[in-house]
Amino acid sequence: AVSGDGMVIAGVGDGQAAFWSAGQGTQDLFSLLLDAGLPMTGWGLRDITGVSEDGLTLVGNGLVPTGKEQGFVVRIPAPAGLGPMLVLGPILGVRRRRVS
């Protein structure tokens, strides 16, 4: 997946969700969220399947701690400087976590 301006390219790297950005180079999405303070124990982010036009929103597939596959949406950076926001789950029953 590629942002509208080509400055963010995302997909799979070393078997997990990863992306490249012109400003930061290649990043592992799981590690980025973990470093931002999101509780990621038991989660697995498999791939990134889409990038928004502006390159700030990533969508993909992963595993929840029970082993069930779920979609996710990550907004980097989140509005108002709150840090990354991860939304996991189907459109109905979405769980939101924010890091300040």
Side-chain angles (χ1 to χ4, degrees):
V2 181
S3 65
D5 61 5
M7 300 298 280
V8 176
I9 301 169
V12 178
D14 293 328
Q16 56 193 344
F19 66 100
W20 174 91
S21 66
Q24 301 293 320
T26 301
Q27 298 180 61
D28 163 22
L29 184 58
F30 183 92
S31 296
L32 177 75
L33 297 174
L34 188 63
D35 291 347
L38 286 171
M40 299 300 293
T41 302
W43 295 93
L45 303 179
R46 289 188 170 181
D47 57 22
I48 299 171
T49 58
V51 178
S52 63
E53 183 76 14
D54 65 6
L56 298 177
T57 302
L58 309 171
V59 297
N61 301 294
L63 296 175
V64 298
T66 62
K68 181 180 177 186
E69 188 156 339
Q70 292 282 318
F72 67 82
V73 177
V74 173
R75 174 85 176 151
I76 305 172
L82 294 174
M85 181 177 71
L86 173 63
V87 179
L88 298 160
I91 299 303
L92 301 175
V94 169
R95 291 190 277 175
R96 297 174 188 239
R97 296 187 177 154
R98 290 187 183 210
V99 176
S100 57

